[in-house]
Amino acid sequence: MDSTLPDTAARGFDTYRNKWDSQLGARLPGFSSATTGDFRVRAHAVRMRDLVMVDIHGVSGIRTERPANSVEGEIQLYVVSSGAYTLDDGSGRGGYTVSAGQFLLRRLERPGNFEMQPHTTAKVIAAMSSTLEPLLRNRGITGAVESAEIRLLMAHANMVRTTLADLGPDGAHAARNALIELVKGAALGRFDDMEPRLAPALAQAAKDLADRRLADPELSPALLARELNVSMRTLQRAFAAVGESANTYIRYRRLEEARLALTASPDRPSVSELAAYWQFSDSSHFIRAFKKAYGRTPAEYARAIGTAEERAVPRRVV
């Protein structure tokens, strides 16, 4: 659902509301008229039985004045990447403001209103769960999105978002149950690292972390395990479950980034610069690893790219 496109500007709120109602089969809350006049919001929602997951980005600020028909006892998780999300708990005692880099996990006592600042990006997961309800009765849990439990949960949630259309009923059921297990981990501040359903999420979270720190000389499987609060053995099992190893993944991604750097024109880095930046012990080691992966040395690869570029440039006829 996207009301940020230029051709929807005049009817942004109606476009969004109609798609929400028809695709999710649920009614939106009552939005303040101050926000429906300039309603620029983009969202992607999926439903798995009793669980709904929404990725939302509001270009404009939005505010409700009538709560949605949420169900008391529903478990709700808000993970905010940018901006801020303010939630009224519906009790008259106040509520929560979830700022960028924070999450809130709560059991809904009664429906309330919410407000999003402009340029807020968040992931919201809502579900009914008898296993989660006792953990959250009469309290909300807040923390940093960089915690190991939220990193794992977000890695799995993003995988579900991209693969759900290809999953059969059994796969979707397993994906939903793994999400619930990871939300449980966020509630407890730890997760069951022996749970086999969580291996793909753990491997993906480790990959996401490695991708952000590829140039870090300290990057290693041990660092990934430490950052994700698991043992090395658990991390190794998770990668084995998806047919890889952590070391192999780190080397592959560093070589791939080096390969992409060789396509940069005209300021291609030297082989020694690439070897040093991507944490290879020396140029010879880097050259051997590169040739094994791509069938050419870095210099041969760069020359081939240069020749292809020259052929692609139209000749000027005088």
Side-chain angles (χ1 to χ4, degrees):
M1 297 160 284
D2 192 349
S3 62
T4 66
L5 301 173
D7 62 347
T8 65
R11 47 188 174 81
F13 178 68
D14 288 339
T15 298
Y16 190 91
R17 179 180 58 191
N18 291 340
K19 286 191 175 182
W20 182 280
D21 292 350
S22 63
Q23 294 181 19
L24 278 185
R27 300 290 297 177
L28 279 173
F31 286 89
S32 164
S33 58
T35 61
T36 55
D38 179 28
F39 195 87
R40 289 171 293 148
V41 177
R42 182 170 61 252
H44 181 279
V46 297
R47 179 189 290 279
M48 292 176 286
R49 298 174 60 197
D50 61 339
L51 183 148
V52 175
M53 179 171 64
V54 183
D55 289 276
I56 186 166
H57 174 69
V59 177
S60 60
I62 58 176
R63 185 173 70 252
T64 65
E65 56 187 17
R66 188 177 68 254
N69 296 324
S70 302
V71 180
E72 292 184 19
E74 183 178 73
I75 305 302
Q76 299 178 336
L77 173 69
Y78 298 82
V79 182
V80 179
S81 302
S82 63
Y85 211 120
T86 299
L87 299 140
D88 176 7
D89 67 5
S91 67
R93 298 194 300 267
Y96 304 90
T97 294
V98 193
S99 300
Q102 299 292 310
F103 75 88
L104 165 68
L105 178 60
R106 69 172 185 173
R107 175 185 179 274
L108 185 67
E109 293 185 33
R110 58 179 66 109
N113 290 308
F114 71 87
E115 180 175 358
M116 283 173 52
Q117 290 182 359
H119 303 291
T120 292
T121 300
K123 185 184 291 289
V124 182
I125 298 174
M128 299 299 297
S129 171
S130 58
T131 62
L132 292 173
E133 189 172 351
L135 302 175
L136 295 168
R137 192 176 296 277
N138 301 322
R139 68 178 182 135
I141 296 172
T142 60
V145 299
E146 286 301 304
S147 70
E149 293 76 27
I150 296 298
R151 279 176 169 167
L152 262 68
L153 190 149
M154 292 292 281
H156 181 69
N158 291 332
M159 281 195 295
V160 170
R161 171 179 169 165
T162 57
T163 62
L164 185 62
D166 299 322
L167 296 178
D170 290 343
H173 180 63
R176 179 262 181 205
N177 289 346
L179 267 175
I180 293 295
E181 188 70 23
L182 287 163
V183 174
K184 180 182 175 182
L188 295 172
R190 54 182 170 78
F191 64 93
D192 181 2
D193 58 8
M194 296 298 290
E195 171 55 62
R197 290 177 300 184
L198 302 187
L202 177 53
Q204 187 60 51
K207 290 178 181 180
D208 293 344
L209 180 56
D211 287 346
R212 293 196 296 271
R213 302 183 65 166
L214 282 176
D216 185 348
E218 301 298 319
L219 178 60
S220 67
L223 180 144
L224 297 177
R226 187 164 61 249
E227 290 283 330
L228 295 171
N229 197 28
V230 297
S231 68
M232 273 289 293
R233 185 176 178 81
T234 296
L235 185 71
Q236 290 165 348
R237 279 201 308 265
F239 271 91
V242 296
E244 294 183 90
S245 76
N247 270 323
T248 300
Y249 180 80
I250 292 170
R251 173 173 291 224
Y252 159 74
R253 287 290 293 115
R254 283 175 165 170
L255 284 170
E256 184 63 8
E257 290 298 322
R259 183 189 68 80
L260 292 174
L262 287 170
T263 67
S265 179
D267 300 319
R268 294 189 180 101
S270 68
V271 170
S272 59
E273 287 172 336
L274 285 172
Y277 187 79
W278 295 114
Q279 307 305 317
F280 288 86
S281 57
D282 54 49
S283 296
S284 297
H285 182 206
F286 170 62
I287 291 169
R288 287 195 300 272
F290 191 96
K291 186 172 183 178
K292 183 177 180 180
Y294 301 109
R296 295 174 178 174
T297 67
E300 291 168 344
Y301 186 88
R303 281 196 298 271
I305 292 294
T307 301
E309 288 174 349
E310 289 175 5
R311 290 172 178 167
V313 175
R315 299 267 180 204
R316 182 178 177 182
V317 178
V318 180

